[in-house]
Amino acid sequence: MDYKEKIKERIEGHCLITFGKKSKYCSNKEKYIAVVKSLMEDIVPKWNDSLNKYDGKKKAYYFSAEFLMGRALSNNLINMNWQSDIRDILKEYKIDYNNIEESEDDAGLGNGGLGRLAACFLDSAATLNYPLMGYGLRYEYGIFKQKFADGFQIEGPDNWLEFGDSWSIRKSMDKVVVSFADGDVLAVPYDTPVIGYGGNTINTLRLWKSEAINSFNLEEFNRQNYDLSVKDKNDAENISKVLYPNDSKEEGKILRLKQQYFFVSASLQDLVKKHLEKYDSLENFHQLHGIQLNDTHPTVAIPELMRILTEEYKMDWDKSWDIVVKTFAYTNHTILQEALEQWPVRLYKVILPNVYRKIEEINSKLIDELEEKAIVDDIRDYKIIDDNNIKMAYLAIYGTHSINGVAQVHSDILTERELNNWYKLYPERFNNKTNGITQRRWLLKSNPELSEFITELLGTDNWITELDELKKLEKYKDDRDVLERFLDIKQEKKNQLAEYIKEHEGIEIDPYSIFDIQIKRLHEYKRQLLNALQILDLYYRIKENPNLDIVNKTFILGGKAAPGYERAKGIIKYINEIKDLINNDKDINGKIKMVFVTNYGVSYGEKLFSAADISEQISTAGKEASGTGNMKFMLNGTPTIGTLDGANIEIVEEAGENNNFIFGLQVEDIERIKNTYDPKKYYENVDGLKRVVDTLVDGTFSDGGTGIFKELYNSILKGANWHSPDQYYLMKDFDSYRKAQERVNEAYIDRSAWAKKCWTNMANAGKFSSDRTIEQYAKEIWDIENC
Ligand code: 26Q
């Protein structure tokens, strides 16, 4: 039977046995599920074959509390090269592929950059045939769903498993028990295939779900204590119930600690068990396993593996420590002080006393070592346990052989400043791995129009796995026909986005205006407020001078604020107030328009990055470790307006400063001025600045009586006991930002010069493939070979 017939028969079968009806009576969602199940029939046998080829070889494991995978269907179809077949089949069925695609929920098991990076890495490793497995948590609820009520963010639950997850397989046989001082819980793994491009390698993402060992207490039930009869079940299931929606602030909550230990302990048990099925001791564990700790969230793995080796397997301390340090490597994603994880000793003692004892031993070995090396003065800068807190970053540095930052400037700040003491102690451990993104999702999938054009010009599609090939397109940067085609494609993507925004946000935007886009988590250091002030200033200038000669501009913003982060939520409300003012003002006559997209996430991003004319990357210099959205814009031929921060620096190194719009303070400038900075000086003297800042307090806008606008105003001009006034330098950078915006407007008018800038960015995006990043991790940290 031919392939299409076979698939049709399967779809029909799954509709029947899963939903009890023929496909023609099924909803899109049901059809989507039947399609996935039909595909899995082919994927699973290939997956099993693929795992066998790594037998006896060293493998790497990515331990991460977050994997922000987004949708899988299109990606998997592309990577298996099944896309056109499936589209044809669905067409015969009169099923619209787009409807099927859109009915998949995003797997939103992450907050932002760090979680999405993990997902891009899995895609790259599978594509390059590297044995890399992901280990994490199977949250029942992912990152919250964002809505707005009167301009305020409202959070709703992300019930992504409501219809099950047909991509994952529950592996009950591999369940393990995780022990806490207050009781044991079961960890049940769910495996998801990670299909590399070309389908040669299918790796595994293993996520753990928590369950009770005894889920039902019949005795309590019989005594009519119904709550108690299911108490164990509820307590246990709570561990993997929900993702913490915080993307920076350290919180010190018991449940978060339980999450971390839960998935780390389960994963290590899994690895140790499988290792001992083949080898009779753990002495060669590090020769076969390299474990990357994605930030400090899984750092409890260090004392936990020490506990396993020294107590369960009675190995001596030094030998165990050698194995541990050789096994683990640590990636740092932030230098924000408030994000550095510290756990109160008291919590560890109560929840994980046996692990805590190991941390104490590690700490005292460290102090011995420091004394031996005659480091006595600044011992506090090293102590893992200090002031009744456990400093997870220090534990992660001491217990690993590799510590990396995620862009060059970030790695430099770590070694020269934030972790300079540790750098002096172990210089050989520190290295940089500039982040990357997978071009399979962020170009091939999200921008098929541009992808086809690139393939046509190159005469090959090898850029899909070798992104440096794009460099060969640079020679077309003055070719009028090529640039025309590029602009047409960009227009097509903008039309598509305008359509989508009209349908989903109810706002009509001019597809011929400049699409200026800032999409990322809401955070003060990312300076969405600076963008808002600049937009408002432009609005007032148009009001003053209705003939102001500017190209129409649409400002699109999007992003979630952590539910407890009041200032970030205040900034969203403020942006929405400005949006209403501008969009409802007839005098503005379409010159500017604003959209704050609802529920920004991976799938929305796919539509936004490819349709952008200008990429907003305006963080305070030194604060954005890398950024990866910046790379997604660049790959789709979008110039950056931004500061010299994170990977922006490397982006302009590759594409040229003249093809981007760089402004503002640099890291060294801030070092110089930070002790004398006075925002008032700028607030009072920079033309137009006071006018916009004062709208926070002069009644122009309403914050619904919450006082949050006044609070934002004070954060800029007065500071607070925990920070100085305007700690992110909005006032200082406002004027140079506004000038950079003016440079954008001027540059945009010359269509071919503009297209050349866009094209040059795209042609130089090769460095920012996560394939490059993964090659570096594989060779320089993990020492693994591809199969
Ligand atoms: C910590 C403790 C308690 C609760 C939550 C957290 C927590 C959770 C997530 C802290 C931080 C995060 C996420 C951080 C993150 O996404 N960082 C970003 O990582 C990207 C990938 O390296 C970089 O590109 C970004 O610059 C960085 O901000």
Side-chain angles (χ1 to χ4, degrees):
M1 186 168 41
D2 96 315
Y3 181 68
K4 287 186 189 170
E5 286 307 313
K6 194 172 78 183
I7 293 285
K8 275 160 85 173
E9 204 163 278
R10 283 186 195 163
I11 293 176
E12 216 49 61
H14 287 295
C15 286
L16 272 179
I17 61 168
T18 311
F19 304 111
K21 52 197 171 191
K22 289 190 169 160
S23 69
K24 64 179 171 184
Y25 301 116
C26 283
S27 68
N28 284 332
K29 183 83 183 190
E30 290 167 334
K31 285 180 209 152
Y32 154 77
I33 292 168
V35 168
V36 174
K37 288 182 185 244
S38 306
L39 298 174
M40 284 294 272
E41 289 188 43
D42 282 337
I43 291 170
V44 175
K46 291 198 162 72
W47 186 11
N48 291 334
D49 291 347
S50 169
L51 294 174
N52 292 333
K53 71 182 177 188
Y54 297 139
D55 260 4
K57 298 228 160 100
K58 183 176 184 187
K59 296 182 208 139
Y61 301 89
Y62 206 73
F63 277 24
S64 178
E66 307 192 2
F67 287 92
L68 191 46
M69 302 295 282
R71 290 182 177 137
L73 178 61
S74 291
N75 204 249
N76 287 346
L77 289 177
I78 291 173
N79 287 5
M80 294 296 287
N81 198 17
W82 287 341
Q83 204 182 31
S84 63
D85 282 347
I86 294 294
R87 276 178 191 267
D88 289 351
I89 292 167
L90 294 178
K91 214 178 271 162
E92 285 176 35
Y93 263 111
K94 300 198 170 50
I95 299 172
D96 184 350
Y97 177 77
N98 290 334
N99 291 337
I100 301 292
E101 179 183 21
E102 292 278 325
S103 54
E104 178 173 5
D105 280 306
D106 270 38
L109 308 186
N111 273 287
L114 163 151
R116 183 55 230 176
L117 184 72
C120 284
F121 281 0
L122 293 184
D123 180 87
S124 284
T127 297
L128 297 171
N129 309 303
Y130 276 115
L132 175 71
M133 310 297 154
Y135 270 112
L137 281 149
R138 187 175 191 259
Y139 302 107
E140 192 177 329
Y141 294 89
I143 186 67
F144 65 85
K145 283 223 161 98
Q146 180 192 53
K147 283 192 185 148
F148 303 108
D150 187 27
F152 287 105
Q153 169 175 292
I154 305 290
E155 301 96 26
D158 166 38
N159 191 5
W160 75 291
L161 290 174
E162 186 179 348
F163 299 91
D165 168 27
S166 305
W167 295 112
S168 64
I169 297 181
R170 180 183 167 102
K171 294 282 173 80
S172 293
M173 305 304 286
D174 288 349
K175 71 184 176 220
V176 296
V177 174
V178 175
S179 296
F180 296 95
D182 62 355
D184 293 352
V185 295
L186 280 181
V188 186
Y190 284 71
D191 287 357
T192 303
V194 179
I195 303 173
Y197 184 77
N200 293 321
T201 291
I202 305 182
N203 286 335
T204 302
L205 170 59
R206 173 161 277 200
L207 300 178
W208 300 95
K209 175 178 190 282
S210 60
E211 292 186 1
I213 293 175
N214 299 305
S215 59
F216 182 63
N217 185 328
L218 190 62
E219 278 172 38
E220 295 291 359
F221 185 84
N222 288 339
R223 282 190 223 121
Q224 302 194 20
N225 292 328
Y226 301 119
D227 288 351
L228 280 180
S229 74
V230 291
K231 183 175 183 307
D232 283 358
K233 175 176 160 72
N234 290 337
D235 288 351
E237 290 181 0
N238 274 342
I239 293 175
S240 60
K241 182 70 70 183
V242 56
L243 168 80
Y244 274 83
N246 232 319
D247 72 330
S248 60
K249 220 172 136 51
E250 191 275 309
E251 277 208 310
K253 294 260 167 65
I254 289 187
L255 191 60
R256 170 93 182 165
L257 178 58
K258 284 197 162 184
Q259 287 186 340
Q260 295 184 347
Y261 183 69
F262 171 75
F263 93 86
V264 161
S265 161
S267 307
L268 287 175
Q269 287 185 57
D270 201 32
L271 296 179
V272 166
K273 189 167 64 183
K274 281 191 224 149
H275 183 87
L276 291 174
E277 279 166 13
K278 283 192 79 154
Y279 305 94
D280 46 16
S281 96
L282 291 170
E283 285 183 18
N284 60 343
F285 188 79
H286 60 286
Q287 290 163 357
L288 291 149
H289 302 86
I291 302 178
Q292 193 70 31
L293 304 174
N294 198 21
D295 216 290
T296 54
H297 316 151
T299 297
V300 66
I302 292 167
E304 174 64 4
L305 187 55
M306 279 308 283
R307 192 192 61 75
I308 294 171
L309 294 174
T310 58
E311 290 185 9
E312 292 184 10
Y313 294 93
K314 310 289 177 209
M315 204 183 276
D316 81 58
W317 182 275
D318 289 341
K319 194 178 233 171
S320 304
W321 187 245
D322 185 57
I323 292 173
V324 164
V325 171
K326 285 179 173 155
T327 299
F328 291 111
Y330 157 56
T331 304
N332 174 290
H333 296 266
T334 187
I335 54 154
L336 296 184
Q337 280 307 319
E338 66 268 29
L340 292 179
E341 272 194 301
Q342 301 198 19
W343 286 101
V345 164
R346 157 184 56 81
L347 271 190
Y348 255 82
K349 274 189 175 161
V350 173
I351 307 291
L352 303 168
N354 302 331
V355 180
Y356 180 68
R357 266 193 295 280
K358 291 293 135 188
I359 300 179
E360 278 184 318
E361 281 182 74
I362 294 170
N363 189 45
S364 65
K365 297 277 179 190
L366 163 66
I367 291 168
D368 291 349
E369 190 179 325
L370 293 173
E371 278 165 4
E372 233 167 77
K373 294 188 170 156
I375 298 172
V376 279
D377 311 336
D378 42 10
I379 208 157
R380 268 205 79 179
D381 294 329
Y382 296 96
K383 278 171 78 176
I384 294 166
I385 305 173
D386 187 36
D387 209 11
N388 281 314
N389 278 311
I390 309 168
K391 298 189 168 168
M392 301 312 274
Y394 292 179
L395 179 56
I397 298 168
Y398 188 48
T400 62
H401 66 281
S402 166
I403 300 113
N404 73 282
V406 289
Q408 191 61 53
V409 66
H410 168 59
S411 298
D412 291 346
I413 290 173
L414 293 179
T415 55
E416 288 162 18
R417 218 170 68 199
E418 302 300 316
L419 301 173
N420 183 254
N421 277 291
W422 284 99
Y423 175 64
K424 283 190 283 197
L425 191 59
Y426 301 120
E428 71 290 348
R429 291 189 184 183
F430 285 81
N431 63 91
N432 173 249
K433 296 283 168 283
T434 297
N435 283 164
I437 56 168
T438 166
Q439 67 266 34
R440 269 81 58 188
R441 181 174 295 260
W442 300 109
L443 183 56
L444 183 61
K445 148 97 205 3
S446 62
N447 198 343
E449 298 85 354
L450 184 55
S451 298
E452 271 167 39
F453 187 40
I454 290 170
T455 299
E456 180 189 320
L457 286 175
L458 289 173
T460 151
D461 65 1
N462 62 0
W463 60 271
I464 297 170
T465 51
E466 290 156 56
L467 198 62
D468 283 327
E469 289 291 305
L470 294 183
K471 186 83 191 170
K472 294 184 181 153
L473 297 173
E474 197 165 13
K475 66 175 184 218
Y476 296 109
K477 66 177 192 273
D478 293 304
D479 183 318
R480 292 186 67 120
D481 295 339
V482 167
L483 297 183
E484 271 310 312
R485 283 274 299 276
F486 172 79
L487 289 175
D488 288 347
I489 289 167
K490 184 60 87 178
Q491 192 56 54
E492 165 70 15
K493 299 311 285 180
K494 290 169 72 176
N495 296 346
Q496 291 170 6
L497 178 63
E499 196 61 31
Y500 190 84
I501 284 180
K502 186 169 148 200
E503 195 180 319
H504 289 83
E505 315 296 343
I507 302 178
E508 278 201 53
I509 59 178
D510 170 8
Y512 298 101
S513 62
I514 300 177
F515 282 14
D516 173 309
I517 307 189
Q518 186 177 27
I519 40 175
K520 46 184 80 248
R521 285 298 289 259
L522 253 292
H523 205 292
E524 287 166 275
Y525 83 79
K526 295 177 188 281
R527 300 203 293 192
Q528 284 95 348
L529 185 53
L530 178 62
N531 191 3
L533 293 173
Q534 171 269 142
I535 297 169
L536 188 59
D537 173 68
L538 177 59
Y539 168 78
Y540 284 135
R541 286 190 290 134
I542 297 172
K543 290 290 274 186
E544 275 175 352
N545 176 8
N547 300 321
L548 195 72
D549 187 23
I550 58 157
V551 184
N552 290 358
K553 219 164 181 180
T554 303
F555 295 99
I556 303 172
L557 293 96
K560 295 177 186 177
Y565 189 172
E566 290 302 331
R567 279 191 189 162
K569 295 176 104 174
I571 293 169
I572 291 183
K573 169 67 175 167
Y574 184 60
I575 292 169
N576 279 328
E577 287 287 300
I578 298 175
K579 178 198 82 183
D580 287 343
L581 175 73
I582 291 176
N583 293 359
N584 293 323
D585 189 336
K586 299 270 182 310
D587 298 353
I588 290 304
N589 211 357
K591 279 207 162 73
I592 51 176
K593 200 123 194 204
M594 264 177 101
V595 183
F596 197 100
V597 300
T598 312
N599 200 39
Y600 169 63
V602 173
S603 291
Y604 217 137
E606 290 169 18
K607 301 176 202 310
L608 289 157
F609 289 114
S610 55
D613 291 311
I614 192 85
S615 155
E616 294 273 354
Q617 307 301 335
I618 61 176
S619 54
T620 309
K623 296 293 181 191
E624 190 69 271
S626 160
T628 44
N630 46 4
M631 303 169 184
K632 293 163 197 167
F633 283 113
M634 181 196 198
L635 182 60
N636 283 275
T638 305
T640 297
I641 181 168
T643 48
L644 287 179
D645 195 19
N648 299 352
I649 296 176
E650 291 162 69
I651 285 176
V652 298
E653 267 169 25
E654 296 297 302
E657 207 167 319
N658 56 327
N659 294 309
N660 291 285
F661 302 87
I662 298 303
F663 71 92
L665 292 169
Q666 301 185 20
V667 176
E668 311 82 65
D669 301 326
I670 292 178
E671 276 303 300
R672 220 176 34 246
I673 69 165
K674 68 180 182 195
N675 295 320
T676 56
Y677 177 57
D678 177 14
K680 278 223 179 64
K681 209 174 88 192
Y682 301 92
Y683 162 78
E684 278 157 9
N685 297 315
V686 173
D687 173 45
L689 183 51
K690 185 169 187 304
R691 172 170 69 180
V692 289
V693 174
D694 283 355
T695 63
L696 285 164
V697 290
D698 66 9
T700 306
F701 300 117
S702 163
D703 65 5
T706 58
I708 190 63
F709 288 177
K710 173 89 194 187
E711 219 279 321
L712 286 173
Y713 178 87
N714 286 341
S715 77
I716 294 172
L717 294 168
K718 295 204 170 73
N721 58 12
W722 39 278
H723 74 79
S724 53
D726 193 21
Q727 61 177 328
Y728 297 111
Y729 301 91
L730 279 72
M731 300 298 101
K732 169 76 184 143
D733 273 347
F734 178 82
D735 196 47
S736 66
Y737 179 41
R738 182 168 56 187
K739 291 196 173 105
Q741 286 287 4
E742 277 161 17
R743 282 189 275 140
V744 170
N745 297 343
E746 282 160 27
Y748 192 80
I749 296 170
D750 183 342
R751 300 303 290 142
S752 60
W754 180 262
K756 182 175 175 177
K757 287 188 198 302
C758 299
W759 190 258
T760 309
N761 272 285
M762 186 267 284
N764 287 288
K767 174 174 179 186
F768 304 104
S769 170
S770 45
D771 297 349
R772 185 265 312 151
T773 318
I774 278 296
E775 284 285 4
Q776 289 181 315
Y777 276 88
K779 295 205 168 85
E780 296 163 23
I781 301 179
W782 302 329
D783 192 24
I784 54 170
E785 282 166 27
N786 52 359
C787 307

